[in-house]
Amino acid sequence: VKPTKENLYDMIYQIVFKIPKGRVTSYGAIANCLGIKSGARMVGYAMNVSHTIAGLPAHRVVNRNGVLTGKHHFDDPGEMQKRLENEGIEVENDQIVDFKKRYWDPSEIGYI
DNA sequence: CCAGTGACGGAAT
DNA sequence: TATTCCGCCACTG
């Protein structure tokens, strides 16, 4: 199924909501799960307007390097790291420790 | 309508 | 292996 731009944001939010606690994923992984190989930027843009979504765990979504690139977009930049640490994810220098181990592939859900 | 920008990713150097 | 450059698509001015 190829999501249209109208459904794209909803699809992204659905996946982000499914991220298990204590795990993280990347923008590209979400885009790939939606079938848009080069849609990582769109995913990021969707997250930019995620402030309209209540309870969206945007702090569990980072770039492929495991860097908290989007922390600036939070009300308090330190809150993103704080939430991650609260879930057992170690963050050092705006970077997730053992990112490979914490990484979660959205396709793991398997029904998208 | 055209040009610039961006929570990114992959290829090239 | 590490940096840098380019492409990608939607949104704004």
Side-chain angles (χ1 to χ4, degrees):
Chain A
V1 178
K2 185 177 182 181
T4 62
K5 62 180 180 180
E6 297 171 351
N7 297 323
L8 183 60
Y9 284 30
D10 290 333
M11 301 286 286
I12 294 170
Y13 299 144
Q14 289 297 319
I15 294 177
V16 174
F17 273 117
K18 298 177 189 304
I19 300 174
K21 184 178 180 180
R23 303 294 293 278
V24 294
T25 189
S26 65
Y27 305 91
I30 297 172
N32 187 26
C33 186
L34 294 175
I36 45 180
K37 305 297 181 182
S38 301
R41 303 188 82 112
M42 280 78 262
V43 176
Y45 201 92
M47 301 304 294
N48 188 26
V49 292
S50 65
H51 65 87
T52 60
I53 310 298
L56 187 72
H59 56 280
R60 295 179 190 164
V61 185
V62 296
N63 67 354
R64 62 165 182 171
N65 296 320
V67 181
L68 281 58
T69 51
K71 73 172 195 171
H72 290 80
H73 299 271
F74 282 73
D75 294 338
D76 181 7
E79 188 169 325
M80 184 173 185
Q81 179 173 341
K82 185 177 180 181
R83 290 191 181 188
L84 289 172
E85 290 177 343
N86 191 27
E87 296 182 357
I89 300 174
E90 282 187 79
V91 178
E92 185 174 328
N93 192 16
D94 295 341
Q95 187 171 337
I96 294 178
V97 180
D98 291 333
F99 177 64
K100 289 191 295 185
K101 294 180 181 178
R102 297 295 188 178
Y103 182 79
W104 174 78
D105 190 345
S107 62
E108 190 174 309
I109 294 293
Y111 64 87
I112 199 73

